[in-house]
Amino acid sequence: MNKQNRHLAFAAAFAVTCAMAGSATAQTPEIVETMRTLSGKQKARPSGAKGQCFTGSFVPSAEAKGLSKSAVFAKTSTVVARFSVGGGNPKVMDANKAVNRGFSFRIDPGGAGQTELVMVNAPINFVKSPEQMLGFLKARLPGADGKPDAEKIKAFTEANPETTGQGRYLASKPVVGSWVGVNYWGIHPYTLTNAAGAKQIVKFKMVPVGGEVGLTDEEAK
């Protein structure tokens, strides 16, 4: 397997975790299959099908050691990363505001154990559980006419109003103009433990050094 394929294989492991990091449930195979159906059974990843892989470096700040004893925060490490556009369509338009942008990466501090994070360009997830995710997807499956049932989607949304939060957030923002010109959030909390044993619950946010790069709807055309 060449270097590029290794990167793609790593990225493929995030098919479901983009939406539900760390969850290993009985719903997972059905979630993946439903995602594939919604994308037209395309031969691509069921989530984040459109994307690019990169390698780089992770440089921890001096303050990081005070939060965690992890080797990740002790020195500069190699990073394998993938930026993506949400959904299972590898030809999705970049100007589509209805789908999120993803940023997944693996930090390898050299034999000390890898750290993996999955982030999206919204501070909240679109569902709160694997069960709700499956219901969200099933409500959008096409009917006999090949189209989703608007009434079924409406009924699910009314019963699960929190599933509209991420979509409203994305719609309120400009079209993303650059992989590295947008904020990314790790929407799940993590517990860090420092050398003294003190624990701190955190959420990660990636902020672009050069500032956000957004396009107006007219520019996006």
Side-chain angles (χ1 to χ4, degrees):
M1 184 181 291
N2 61 35
K3 187 175 184 180
Q4 180 69 7
N5 285 340
R6 285 201 302 273
H7 294 177
L8 292 173
F10 155 70
F14 291 97
V16 174
T17 54
C18 287
M20 198 59 56
S23 293
T25 72
Q27 287 80 21
T28 298
E30 191 173 0
I31 287 173
V32 173
E33 187 57 34
T34 306
M35 293 169 81
R36 291 195 185 283
T37 299
L38 288 171
S39 66
K41 297 287 185 179
Q42 299 194 57
K43 295 180 180 180
R45 291 160 39 90
S47 176
K50 183 176 184 177
Q52 290 179 278
C53 295
F54 299 87
T55 56
S57 299
F58 175 79
V59 183
S61 68
E63 294 81 5
K65 291 182 180 180
L67 288 173
S68 174
K69 61 184 178 181
S70 170
V72 166
F73 299 116
K75 62 179 181 179
T76 299
S77 303
T78 299
V79 170
V80 176
R82 186 175 191 267
F83 295 96
S84 61
V85 183
N89 179 8
K91 298 180 180 180
V92 61
M93 294 293 291
D94 289 329
N96 189 339
K97 293 172 67 172
V99 292
N100 61 26
R101 289 346 187 238
F103 178 33
S104 59
F105 57 97
R106 180 180 67 207
I107 306 171
D108 188 353
Q114 298 172 344
T115 294
E116 298 177 354
L117 287 175
V118 180
M119 313 181 88
V120 295
N121 65 322
I124 56 173
N125 205 353
F126 72 101
V127 291
K128 62 184 179 181
S129 68
E131 292 80 8
Q132 190 179 57
M133 181 179 181
L134 183 57
F136 179 96
L137 296 171
K138 282 187 170 182
R140 286 156 174 79
L141 286 172
D145 60 356
K147 299 178 180 180
D149 185 334
E151 288 302 314
K152 186 179 294 186
I153 295 176
K154 180 181 177 182
F156 177 85
T157 301
E158 290 177 348
N160 301 270
E162 64 275 12
T163 60
T164 65
Q166 189 183 89
R168 288 199 308 271
Y169 177 85
L170 295 174
S172 71
K173 295 294 183 180
V175 173
V176 176
S178 168
W179 292 129
V180 295
V182 61
N183 295 321
Y184 293 97
W185 284 265
I187 51 181
H188 303 278
Y190 297 83
T191 300
L192 302 183
T193 305
N194 65 18
K199 297 181 183 296
Q200 177 69 52
I201 296 176
V202 304
K203 279 193 173 184
F204 291 103
K205 179 182 179 180
M206 292 289 181
V207 179
V209 174
E212 293 186 84
V213 179
L215 304 176
T216 66
D217 291 343
E218 188 62 30
E219 289 171 333
K221 292 180 182 179

